[in-house]
Amino acid sequence: MAFRSVLLVAAAAVAGFAPAAMAHTSASNLDWDAALTKASTAVGKLSQQDKVNIVTGVGWDKGPCVGNTSPVSSINYPQLCLQDGPLGIRFGSGATAFPPGIQAASTWDRALMGQRGQYMGEEAKGCGVHVLLGPVGGPLGKHANGGRNWEGFGPDPYLTGVAMAETIQGMQSAGVQACAKHFILNEQELNRETMSSSVDDRTMHELYLWPFSDAVRAGVASVMCSYNKINGTWACENKNVLDNLLRDELGFQGYVMTDWNAQHTTLAANAGLDMTMPGSDYGGKSILWGPQLTSAVNSGQVAGTRLDEMVKRILAAWYLVGQDKGYPGINIKADVQGTHKDNVRAVARDGIVLLKNDANLLPLRKPTKLAVIGSAAVVNPQGMNSCTDQGCNTGALGMGWGSGAVNYPYFVAPYDTLKTRAAADGTTISLSSTDATGSVASVAEGADAAIVFITADSGEGYITVENNAGDRNDLDPWHGGNALVQAVAAANPNTIVVVHSVGPVLLESILQQKGVKAVVWAGLPSQESGNALVDVLYGLVSPSGKLPYTIAKTAADYGTSIAHGDDNFAEGLYIDYRHFDQKAIEPRYAFGFGLSYTNFTFADITVTAAATVKSGPASGAVVAGGKADLFETVATVTCKITNSGSVAGAEVPQLYLSLPTSSAPAAPPKQLRGFDKVKLEAGTSGTVTFNLRRKDLSYWDVAKGWVVPSGTFTVNIGASSRDLRLKGTFNVS
Ligand SMILES: *[C@@H]1O[C@H](CO)[C@@H](O)[C@H](O)[C@H]1NC(C)=O
Ligand SMILES: *[C@@H]1O[C@H](CO)[C@@H](O)[C@H](O)[C@H]1NC(C)=O
């Protein structure tokens, strides 16, 4: 299938502007047609036993990787190695611990996202890993406290979709098969292996399926079906989602594998499942394919042609990324880091969001005396990797816990870098590395500034940390963080709060403290934590991260809560800022918000709709991601951004689109449909170009599919979802 490249339809309208690098999530240049042809030929050489071996994992703990299949010598097919996870090589010792997805999202920087993916791919290849199990497009994050949200890219489907595509293209360009997971509607850890999720068709398309469409469009090799049921049917045997949505509608040509032990019946093959992992339950007893699949094929319960199709898809993905030629042998412990820590530092740093900076307390300017407070300022005293799968929150926090975590090759904690910097500046630095409030005053008093570290952690439900069984119990800082900040702020009027967190934390108590002058949202920086933080605190770079989720004033403001039983997704389209907008709830810090050490002005909006764009349903053949015309640019918006402050910095202009209310059904008041990261020296300007695709203008209609409504579309460009600076409109008839 040939992919259409995304071209600027209305390019002539913006002649004279130098378009910024604002390419849409572009289609992959990998050649599925050629890969499928090779795979068909190979399938013809295989015995039935070979075929069953290719689709069946060898069983839990029976190979070098978390998932393994058997080799087939007649086609030089190797023992396939599938390894977690979304931020590096799980159980590695010489691999980089990349910042989690949520930190990459927080940079809003496509180039950094793509480079992170490429480097992860290079490392996986260096370790002989064929399939690296990421990126994560679900959970999307409808629950602010969902345990695994940090593995993905936040609750906006557009931002998540871009991040998915960039990551996948980066990984697969390096020769590794990516795996878009978890498909689909697995939004919480509680009861994830028993509960059923049901969501209306429109919400499915406009929120949860959206990032997977971008993943397919990016050429993703594999998709992992999730643990939960959908409408009462297990995700891994749900024909509606695997066949109808993923294959028929999105044009996915790769293979579907189970989440680990998420298969329930042999006949899942008939619903569209292609590979079972790890091939047995964790006790090694229950095996659903292997000999059982052979019997099912022999008895006609699973068609032989279906087995051939499963194998063809798996082999095609292997050929697609060139793994049939000279792929390295498996060595999970290989030293593969290269210079990838530069990307870690850049993502950690450029994902830092400055939330508050009264009286320009930051950046620090050679303070005479600095106080550093909190257990999270220093590396875990028991060792940076002392907790299995990072299943503890002790010391500095760099990632959440679970199968999506990895070992750190090293860990630069905040205090490590602060101490070095203080020595260079001649600053006296004192440390209280506990969360006890008693000793705080003596350390904080008299310092030019006091930096206090607080955290909130979450992870996968098979580990419980401080009574949090995956999902967070609440949105408060851990370890008495509010009391700690209160004590520090009472002792020092220049208190800087640094938050390392998996997701939103309620900051109301902290913001009430008069001494709190600055709040630095440092997210999940992984191994380069201290270096990234000091780059920002001392103004080596201006902070440029933007929140990839809303920070509310109260937990109830989010309007969703973890289901105790099945979840019918009653909130529909209204999660995160869509909900705050619809209900006119004032967030504490809006989605997309982040301060800088400089100022940016927005000007000169132009809006040009292609004369050819007409209202109505999408059409055309299905290409990777959906119907072909969905990906055509139908409107172009430009604006000018000026750095009007005194230092270099980067702004993230965000385009929010509002559908015409006259003909579209009730829709979220505005939705992110474009963004760019613009780096500007002080006093300089740049032009940003946003290309809106037909899909960006569409809503999902249950009968007609994606439909562009007629009427007036409103475009807002802003510095956050609640700081809209420019407005324009265009009409579609
Ligand atoms: C689940 O059921 C709802 C309600 O009947 C329906 O709108 C939706 O399309 C179904 N989804 C799937 C994936 O079957
Ligand atoms: C940005 O502008 C605001 C007022 O418009 C001003 O208060 C602030 O100091 C400026 N910040 C910088 C870093 O120039």
Side-chain angles (χ1 to χ4, degrees), residues 102 115 189 323 465 483 537 604 613 665 684 705:
I102 198 67
Q115 186 186 56
E189 287 302 283
Q323 293 182 342
V465 178
L537 290 182
D604 300 347
V613 58
T684 66

Side-chain angles (χ1 to χ4, degrees), residues 480-506:
N482 285 335
L484 182 64
V485 170
Q486 190 174 353
V488 175
N492 191 304
N494 290 322
T495 294
I496 300 160
V497 180
V498 176
V499 190
H500 286 118
S501 176
V502 288
V505 168
L506 301 179

Side-chain angles (χ1 to χ4, degrees), residues 315-338:
L315 293 181
W318 178 68
Y319 285 119
L320 179 78
V321 294
Q323 293 182 342
D324 55 321
K325 296 189 198 80
Y327 206 73
I330 300 167
N331 176 13
I332 297 297
K333 306 282 183 201
D335 185 344
V336 288
Q337 293 167 77

Side-chain angles (χ1 to χ4, degrees), residues 360 597-599 645:
N360 294 330
Y597 295 152
T598 188
N599 275 334

